Amino acid sequence: KAGVTQTPRYLIKTRGQQVTLSCSPISGHRSVSWYQQTPGQGLQFLFEYFSETQRNKGNFPGRFSGRQFSNSRSEMNVSTLELGDSALYLCASSKGGAYNEQFFGPGTRLTVL
Amino acid sequence: AQSVTQLDSQVPVFEEAPVELRCNYSSSVSVYLFWYVQYPNQGLQLLLKYLSGSTLVESINGFEAEFNKSQTSFHLRKPSVHISDTAEYFCAVRLESSGSRLTFGEGTQLTVNP
């Protein structure tokens, strides 16, 4: 069974640009969650999508948005990039129930210059 | 709101020594508890979880954790560590009502020295 894949693995952008990250969940998983990992703030929850609907949202500004497609693949978008958006962005998929295990992808390393 | 505190940011130990990584949480409702491990340049891997039932949970590679409701703790232990256990370890909680959302601790870097 293929794991969670994230593309691209590395990305370099400049301030003010926007970026789109992609996550393909494990087959059969309907929930996709996104997390931001930085040395200063640690792992922080961005949002979760379940069956194409946002089910949970963390405390991030509106510049961070996401969506989920009918095949459960998800994208997250960050507009007007700031230096502080440099981070490892992790995607996790699960079947969606509280008892279900979340499987994490390898992450996308975003560097904002 | 729930929160997770990992009491040690760095834990250096010698190979074959025992180790304990401490985790405390706060929540006004019941939670599910997890330990994840992250190796350099990789995502997170689930090490073990407590959902219900026995308060002592074990992983396949020798780690164990005990859920202590009265002390709101979920400490991770291993009786004898290997060099390959060097990694960052994260404790996390999830509310039954919060879907798949995890709240993580700050992480503990475990370094096993020969």
Side-chain angles (χ1 to χ4, degrees), chain B residues 19-94:
Chain B
V19 71
E20 178 180 78
L21 307 184
R22 296 178 293 169
C23 172
N24 286 91
Y25 69 93
S26 66
S27 175
S28 57
V29 297
S30 295
V31 298
Y32 303 126
L33 297 158
F34 305 83
W35 276 99
Y36 283 86
V37 59
Q38 186 176 35
Y39 299 99
N41 301 313
Q42 294 188 26
L44 301 172
Q45 299 174 31
L46 179 66
L47 196 56
L48 42 75
K49 60 187 176 185
Y50 171 77
L51 302 179
S52 65
S54 172
T55 58
L56 183 66
V57 290
E58 299 176 353
S59 72
I60 57 173
N61 56 357
F63 283 95
E64 65 177 31
E66 186 159 19
F67 169 56
N68 188 317
K69 189 173 182 179
S70 62
Q71 297 186 5
T72 59
S73 68
F74 191 54
H75 301 332
L76 181 69
R77 302 184 184 95
K78 189 170 185 179
S80 175
V81 294
H82 303 291
I83 299 283
S84 59
D85 292 325
T86 295
E88 187 147 25
Y89 292 78
F90 293 93
C91 181
V93 302
R94 186 163 78 206

Side-chain angles (χ1 to χ4, degrees), chain A residues 45-113:
Chain A
F45 173 79
L46 281 154
F47 29 65
E48 178 199 0
Y49 285 86
F50 181 79
S51 294
E52 302 180 65
T53 300
Q54 189 178 85
R55 184 161 73 167
N56 266 301
K57 189 177 188 306
N59 294 324
F60 278 82
R63 299 186 296 107
F64 292 81
S65 62
R67 59 178 176 168
Q68 187 179 33
F69 302 95
S70 57
N71 61 358
S72 293
R73 189 178 71 85
S74 176
E75 289 181 346
M76 67 163 280
N77 183 276
V78 188
S79 62
T80 320
L81 283 166
E82 300 177 0
L83 295 179
D85 297 332
S86 293
L88 180 67
Y89 290 89
L90 293 165
C91 159
S93 80
S94 79
K95 293 182 179 179
Y99 269 41
N100 296 135
E101 179 180 343
Q102 279 190 287
F103 294 83
F104 282 80
T108 294
R109 172 75 62 186
L110 172 65
T111 302
V112 182
L113 302 176

